Amino acid sequence: MINRFLSFEWKQFSRSSYFKKGIAIKIVMAFAVLYFGGMALLLGVGLYFILKKAMPEIDPMTTVNNYVLYWFLFDFMLRYFMQQLPVMNVKPLMSIPVKRNTIIYYLLGKTTLSFFNILPLIIVVPFSTVLLVQGYPVIQVVAWLISFVAITLSLNFINFLVNKNNLVFYTVLVLVATFGALEHFAIFKISEPAGYAFNYLYNTPYLVILPIVILVGLFYATFKYIKKGFYLDDAISKKVKEVSGSDLSWLNRFGAVAPFLKNDIKLIVRNARPRQVMMMSFMFLFYGLIFYTQETYRDMPAILAFASMFITGGFLMTFGQHVPSWDSEYYKLLMSQNIPYKTYLESKWYLMVAAVLLSFILSTPYIYFGWDIFGMIAAGAVFNIGLNSYLTLFGGALNRVPVELNVKAKAFSNTNGFNPTQLLIGLPKFLLPMLIFYVPYKLISFNAGLIALALVGVLGIVLKPYIFKLIEGVYQKGKYKTIAAFSEKQ
């Protein structure tokens, strides 16, 4: 039966409208995986010797155990945003004699084959091998390795259970930020008790049973969670909710784009996924604190330009990258109306511009770090409006992955929405402003870099009618491919 499931998924992939694009992206991602996998392998082999040289007075194994907690927390956050949860159209299978347990085991098996589970192995297995070569006790090293793998797989199932649970994620985020700050300012070093616990686990091999028991418990909990909603009537039933209306008549002043702006605002307010993206974009306002508080980055203004893009471009880069996927559930109906494509795209542009301006206003406390920093944020805001907004809309024409708006109640849908196309499209938005700023800065002065960054943004605003005409042409050309892709179940 597992072979048949694999056959179904291959046919679904190879017969879909995004097959060719998927092949090209997967080839690029395969090279990326090989590159990062090779770097991870080198790190695993050299980690022992790096730590031995950097801190010769401390056992490298002790150092790893002292800081492994941060690795697991970072791993969890990375999974939350980027791990592709298993996707399978199970409704047709519910009405035929296929055991539910078999399908669920297959879905859970797919999660264990994730790159996020394999990457740690590429690091810790070579590291453990080096430890054995250096004469460390075999039983202790093997028990530690098994514990590490068990905790990694536990994080995999935790992510499955709490995926898109904002309360859990932001609780973890606050804890990480708090403990990180306490550690940085030497108020309370969380690494010490955590390190003691992991070292005790290493020195007491039979305690390996604890991570294994936790892993089995989480696997069973995930299994029960999926099985609980694995019924045909549950899959097709619709929950009735009372919707509260909002007075958005003040948007009528925007003319033809007003109906679309109202629709997007209602979409954000009423649906789980857009609300989550909205909260994520707010967190980008604090991105500068990572860079502006560190003296190291003062001598790397190109990196500061990179950070400045995020402060005012959080909504643009999170919400904007899913245009037009936000409307995928009713895109066919939308495109059947007598609506100019330009009007539809302009509404998205105005929404992103408003978010950039609001973020810029909220970023005024950064004046505390100096007018140079605030000037860079201002130049970044103009650049986001005048160029990054267009790049975002252009990327939307190539991103034909549908977004299901209320993902919390869907155990078998693509609750992540991340795909490699977004990553490739997003690279110019990060690298281009750094290049535009750095060249005048290096040849002339810091202010010259800011002026160049702002001028490119102003030029983009002036040329808006011509740029929009080009973007509209791209959308028109791929209109029916987009409709077909949104109609498919991925």
Side-chain angles (χ1 to χ4, degrees), residues 88-96 232 235-236 238 489:
M88 191 174 182
N89 187 14
V90 298
K91 289 181 185 178
L93 301 175
M94 291 180 177
S95 58
I96 59 177
L232 187 60
I236 64 176
K238 300 291 183 182
K489 291 292 183 181

Side-chain angles (χ1 to χ4, degrees), residues 15-50:
R15 295 172 181 175
S16 65
S17 62
Y18 50 85
F19 174 68
K20 292 182 180 179
K21 184 190 74 172
I23 286 291
I25 293 296
K26 282 176 173 54
I27 291 173
V28 174
M29 293 304 296
F31 283 109
V33 167
L34 289 174
Y35 172 77
F36 288 110
M39 296 297 291
L41 181 62
L42 291 175
L43 176 62
V45 173
L47 183 60
Y48 174 87
F49 304 101
I50 294 171

Side-chain angles (χ1 to χ4, degrees), residues 197-217:
F198 282 107
N199 280 309
Y200 187 75
L201 182 66
Y202 168 74
N203 292 319
T204 315
Y206 65 84
L207 289 180
V208 68
I209 193 66
L210 292 179
I212 294 176
V213 169
I214 293 173
L215 173 60
V216 172

Side-chain angles (χ1 to χ4, degrees), residues 144-155:
W144 179 86
L145 177 60
I146 294 173
S147 300
F148 192 99
V149 173
I151 295 173
T152 298
L153 292 177
S154 297
L155 291 176

Side-chain angles (χ1 to χ4, degrees), residues 1-19:
M1 184 56 68
I2 299 298
N3 291 335
R4 185 158 295 181
F5 287 157
L6 292 173
S7 174
F8 288 159
E9 293 208 25
W10 169 251
K11 289 175 181 177
Q12 182 184 25
F13 170 69
S14 61
R15 295 172 181 175
S16 65
S17 62
Y18 50 85
F19 174 68

Side-chain angles (χ1 to χ4, degrees), residues 143-213:
W144 179 86
L145 177 60
I146 294 173
S147 300
F148 192 99
V149 173
I151 295 173
T152 298
L153 292 177
S154 297
L155 291 176
N156 177 76
F157 294 119
I158 290 174
N159 181 51
F160 197 105
L161 291 171
V162 305
N163 189 261
K164 306 313 172 192
N165 187 318
N166 295 324
L167 177 62
V168 174
F169 171 73
Y170 289 114
T171 300
V172 173
L173 183 63
V174 170
L175 287 175
V176 172
T178 302
F179 287 130
L182 293 175
E183 181 96 18
H184 178 74
F185 295 107
I187 298 174
F188 173 72
K189 294 190 175 182
I190 186 64
S191 60
E192 292 181 357
Y196 175 81
F198 282 107
N199 280 309
Y200 187 75
L201 182 66
Y202 168 74
N203 292 319
T204 315
Y206 65 84
L207 289 180
V208 68
I209 193 66
L210 292 179
I212 294 176
V213 169

